[in-house]
Amino acid sequence: SQKIEQNSEALNIQEGKTATLTCNYTNYSPAYLQWYRQDPGRGPVFLLLIRENEKEKRKERLKVTFDTTLKQSLFHITASQPADSATYLCALEGRRALTFGSGTRLQVQP
Amino acid sequence: NAGVMQNPRHLVRRRGQEARLRCSPMKGHSHVYWYRQLPEEGLKFMVYLQKENIIDESGMPKERFSAEFPKEGPSILRIQQVVRGDSAAYFCASSPRDEPYEQYFGPGTRLTVT
């Protein structure tokens, strides 16, 4: 069955550094992949979508890569700020809706 | 342009009661998705609806749960005879197209069953 894995351990980094989060998937060949941000007590917020024929996508300080051979996406936040602290969710397109990973919590220390 | 609205934000029900969760999609969006999130777990798809149609309910338990999206008014997720295991955050999302492109989520309804 389809499986999406994100590092369940929180990622702690210093302000100004680059945060890199990983999303791995198996038994799956998605046409695109998405990243969302979720703050405690709130709904997820869409960040980026990358298609299978795109290797890399950027938006301001965010960068996403999509390697369909490795079945992996990397999500980077450069020049991280304490306001970037949140849980980041990877989502793959499924039959009719999105299938989400369990998320990785990022904590940026000032 | 108002975002996705959900109400109530918090709902407390005793075991055996009914819970009704409402979702108004973003203006212009005719596709609605319901997800459930248990503590420390990811979002799990429940049901996908368009106006007056259930497109995919493969993620919804077959008993006690139902959903609708009438021609007029909000989408409703209904849970009958709630049990403690139904306690979770229920999120609604909407999109303007019939593929799961980026989805816009509401703030969620936190259901607590006592």
Side-chain angles (χ1 to χ4, degrees), chain B residues 75-94:
Chain B
S75 175
I76 306 284
L77 179 67
R78 183 180 175 208
I79 310 172
Q80 295 177 292
Q81 299 174 329
V82 296
V83 301
R84 289 231 171 100
D86 296 332
S87 296
Y90 291 83
F91 290 97
C92 165
S94 72

Side-chain angles (χ1 to χ4, degrees), chain A residues 1-6 23-28 30 32-36 89-103, chain B residues 33 35 42-46 56 58 100 103 105:
Chain A
S1 60
Q2 300 163 350
K3 195 173 180 182
I4 302 171
E5 289 184 350
Q6 293 186 257
C23 173
N24 295 299
Y25 58 93
T26 56
N27 299 324
Y28 218 7
Y32 52 86
L33 181 150
Q34 303 183 32
W35 284 88
Y36 288 76
L89 308 172
C90 165
L92 300 178
E93 54 92 14
R95 194 161 64 96
R96 284 291 188 178
L98 295 172
T99 300
F100 283 86
S102 54
Chain B
Y33 307 82
Y35 294 85
L43 289 156
K44 302 295 183 189
F45 166 72
M46 298 182 73
D56 185 343
S58 60
Q103 296 185 2
F105 282 81

